[in-house]
Amino acid sequence: MLIASTSVATAQEAAPPAAAPAPEAVAAPESVAIAPAGTADGCELHVWPAERMNSITTGLLGGGLLDAALHANRDASNKTMLASALDSQSQLDALLSLDLRGMLKLSPGTTIITHAMPLERKTMNSVKTRRSSSQAKCYSELIVADVFYQKAAIYGRSLKTLFMVRDFGSDSKIDFEYKAWGGNGLKLFPPKEGEDALAALDELVGVFKKNFDEYAGNEAKAPRKPEKI
């Protein structure tokens, strides 16, 4: 009896402890609110990243089906790298690193709300009401519509970005809308074999921000409708 009891005790000591249950995956929030440095005043800016990435390379043929076929593999590779460097969160991070309130002439008390899920590109122009469920008394939107790499035989390499700002005021009717491209040249992207790929991807993010700076400068000059009385 003594031997059997000792054997059982030894076996229990040697047995590994039960594995802890695996932690449940936590989904990323669909939207994140970034409060102003001072007091929030009830105004909101909602920001969405682009759904669509595109790459077009044109040679001496100047475009067309044959030119597209000749550069199809290169453009597919470029789109993959674009999606890597400028995925949804990277676009939002790049925009949040800028002074959006100042560049878009918003009130300092504006709360910025980012949305992780891009809007469907085909609905960009057709939906004329607020794209969120917010009932804020002072409401505007910044939508990234397209991110577009282009290489042209004459003009070289560039990254172009289509942005749209819509201001609704206190209701669901658009008071002001401005949609336009920002575009700047590239020196490192796409990287060739043996070149620093990370530097080329970082360049995309930097030029993306420069494109918005260009867009915002033009947006500030666009005529507004008279304020509602």
Side-chain angles (χ1 to χ4, degrees):
M1 293 295 293
L2 181 61
I3 295 175
S5 176
T6 303
S7 174
V8 170
T10 303
Q12 289 175 339
E13 290 171 4
E24 294 183 4
V26 179
E30 292 184 3
S31 62
V32 177
I34 296 92
T39 303
D41 60 9
C43 292
E44 293 179 355
L45 171 68
H46 289 250
V47 185
W48 284 270
E51 175 192 45
R52 190 164 70 184
M53 304 277 173
N54 205 0
S55 171
I56 295 181
T57 302
T58 56
L60 296 176
L61 296 176
L65 294 177
L66 179 57
D67 215 356
L70 290 173
H71 300 102
N73 290 338
R74 175 78 268 183
D75 282 328
S77 174
N78 291 343
K79 286 173 69 174
T80 299
M81 286 189 283
L82 279 172
S84 173
L86 290 170
D87 61 6
S88 293
Q89 190 58 52
S90 296
Q91 292 177 53
L92 295 174
D93 289 344
L95 291 171
L96 289 176
S97 72
L98 304 172
D99 178 17
L100 293 180
R101 297 178 184 89
M103 296 169 78
L104 295 176
K105 303 295 186 293
L106 304 174
S107 71
T110 299
T111 298
I112 298 174
I113 300 174
T114 61
H115 296 264
M117 185 66 66
L119 299 173
E120 284 188 277
R121 180 61 178 86
K122 63 183 180 181
T123 68
M124 201 71 64
N125 298 315
S126 59
V127 177
K128 300 297 184 182
T129 54
R130 297 186 182 197
R131 300 306 301 260
S132 81
S133 60
S134 171
Q135 300 297 315
K137 65 177 183 179
C138 172
Y139 177 93
S140 57
E141 299 175 345
L142 167 59
I143 302 170
V144 187
D146 290 304
V147 179
F148 173 39
Y149 165 78
Q150 183 177 31
K151 180 181 179 182
I154 298 176
Y155 300 107
R157 297 172 288 173
S158 62
L159 181 72
K160 297 181 179 180
T161 317
L162 182 61
F163 299 99
M164 180 165 66
V165 160
R166 308 197 305 175
D167 180 13
F168 289 84
S170 60
D171 55 30
S172 293
K173 294 182 180 179
I174 299 172
D175 295 334
F176 169 78
E177 178 178 301
Y178 183 75
K179 181 171 66 174
W181 291 92
N184 286 274
L186 295 164
K187 295 180 179 179
L188 304 178
F189 183 89
K192 297 179 181 177
E193 187 175 351
E195 293 181 343
D196 188 347
L198 289 178
L201 298 181
D202 285 343
E203 180 187 41
L204 285 174
V205 177
V207 173
F208 176 85
K209 292 193 286 187
K210 188 182 292 186
N211 289 351
F212 182 76
D213 183 55
E214 178 185 335
Y215 164 84
N218 292 325
E219 186 267 350
K221 303 172 188 175
R224 261 71 170 173
K225 292 181 180 179
E227 292 186 6
K228 295 178 180 178
I229 299 175

